[in-house]
Amino acid sequence: KLPTIYIITPTYRRPEQMPELIRFAQTLMNVPNIHWIVADDANTTNYDVVDYLTYSSIPHTYLLTPMPEKYKQLSIKPKGVANRNGGLMWVREHATSGVVYFADDDNTYDIRLFQEIRYTERVSMFPVGLVTKAGLSSPVLKNGKFHGWYDGWIAKRKFPVDMAGFAVSVQYLLKMQNAEMPYKAGYEEDGFLRSLKIEPEEIEFKADKCTKIYVWHTQTKKNGPSQRTILQSKYNGTNL
Ligand code: UDP
Ligand code: MN
């Protein structure tokens, strides 16, 4: 039997929320043996989300994991941290084997990614497209061995990788009882990976030795005036 992949997805209410979740759900409908943990940055249940999860038939859990008030006031927020830590808590309580993957609701996932990460022994890593102006975040291998990192923002991080660029086995996560994600914008991945007490040389590198991109850090533009809307307002003589 295939190991279960626990996919932890932070989400929050905005006009683009349902389309993002629907798009991701269409991808996940093509992936066997998953459990989708949708962790909502909200204080009350969003029934649009819950109803869609039910409709999708994807095995799932819906969690309310609001960002603590003190972080909401910051100009640069630790987005999705309460959600991911809530998801981790759920996994620690309910799972004994399988793999955990943090999957933001707005990224683009090739289903081959899930084949790659399913057999992670401890921590696996792989390239993520469209991260920073560099266009890519990836481990660099030389003769199949860890050589360094490629990322547009190294910033003294031990693990300069994107949230979508690694997976952790449940068994290893259970062993690392204090592993969690810090409320530190920009350093969420690094803090979490450091807490896993793993060295770069011990990482399992996937996606054809990090030569293939199976996940992209796409970002949906806030619903604003499109070119068509601008033309329409000119034609109608209305304000945008
Ligand atoms: N998110 C959240 N609360 C927020 C902002 C974002 O739960 O206030 C979630 C969002 O749905 C996504 C993840 O956190 O799954 C990362 O947010 P976003 O995609 O906006 O970050 P970016 O890709 O711009 O770094
Ligand atoms: Mn995003």
Side-chain angles (χ1 to χ4, degrees):
K1 188 170 163 287
L2 293 174
T4 303
I5 304 175
Y6 295 89
I7 299 168
I8 299 176
T9 297
T11 192
Y12 72 114
R13 188 185 279 280
R14 70 236 192 247
E16 302 82 10
Q17 182 181 34
M18 287 314 300
E20 302 285 25
L21 289 173
I22 289 167
R23 178 169 48 192
F24 190 19
Q26 308 297 311
T27 302
L28 293 181
M29 283 173 191
N30 297 293
V31 183
N33 280 58
I34 59 168
H35 191 92
W36 194 14
I37 300 166
V38 177
D40 201 351
D41 180 357
N43 293 301
T44 54
T45 303
N46 182 334
Y47 288 98
D48 291 339
V49 173
V50 171
D51 290 350
Y52 191 77
L53 288 171
T54 306
Y55 154 79
S56 78
S57 302
I58 298 168
H60 64 269
T61 298
Y62 175 81
L63 301 176
L64 286 179
T65 51
M67 184 186 295
E69 281 303 325
K70 57 179 170 182
Y71 301 117
K72 285 191 191 171
Q73 289 140 27
L74 302 175
S75 57
I76 301 181
K77 299 176 187 58
K79 295 187 283 187
V81 174
N83 323 43
R84 296 188 198 95
N85 282 331
L88 286 174
M89 268 180 57
W90 189 93
V91 169
R92 287 185 194 280
E93 279 171 34
H94 295 88
T96 53
S97 65
V99 181
V100 171
Y101 180 60
F102 296 123
D104 288 354
D105 57 4
D106 57 339
N107 291 337
T108 302
Y109 305 89
D110 186 314
I111 56 173
R112 286 174 288 183
L113 174 74
F114 301 99
Q115 298 173 16
E116 292 289 322
I117 64 176
R118 198 180 293 276
Y119 291 95
T120 296
E121 283 174 43
R122 288 197 280 179
V123 180
S124 60
M125 288 191 183
F126 33 86
V128 183
L130 297 177
V131 177
T132 77
K133 280 188 180 171
L136 173 73
S137 174
S138 179
V140 178
L141 306 195
K142 198 171 176 179
N143 302 323
K145 291 226 182 311
F146 175 75
H147 185 68
W149 308 101
Y150 182 86
D151 190 284
W153 189 67
I154 301 285
K156 294 189 176 151
R157 291 185 293 169
K158 179 172 182 181
F159 298 98
V161 300
D162 186 73
M163 195 61 74
F166 61 90
V168 189
S169 76
V170 170
Q171 288 197 349
Y172 189 66
L173 182 72
L174 293 176
K175 240 189 252 173
M176 297 295 125
Q177 294 184 22
N178 298 319
E180 63 171 354
M181 193 166 287
Y183 285 93
K184 202 177 166 197
Y187 295 86
E188 295 93 338
E189 299 90 343
D190 192 43
F192 176 69
L193 289 162
R194 282 172 190 255
S195 76
L196 287 176
K197 307 270 179 238
I198 193 115
E199 292 304 317
E201 292 73 21
E202 302 172 295
I203 307 274
E204 299 141 55
F205 297 104
K206 304 288 191 186
D208 219 341
K209 295 179 179 154
C210 295
T211 61
K212 299 270 195 305
I213 300 175
Y214 293 135
V215 53
W216 284 263
H217 185 254
T218 43
Q219 293 179 292
T220 302
K221 180 159 66 73
K222 288 285 168 215
N223 221 302
S226 63
Q227 193 162 288
R228 175 61 59 88
T229 311
I230 293 165
L231 289 171
Q232 181 196 30
S233 75
K234 281 192 179 146
Y235 184 82
N236 293 337
T238 53
N239 291 322
L240 283 172

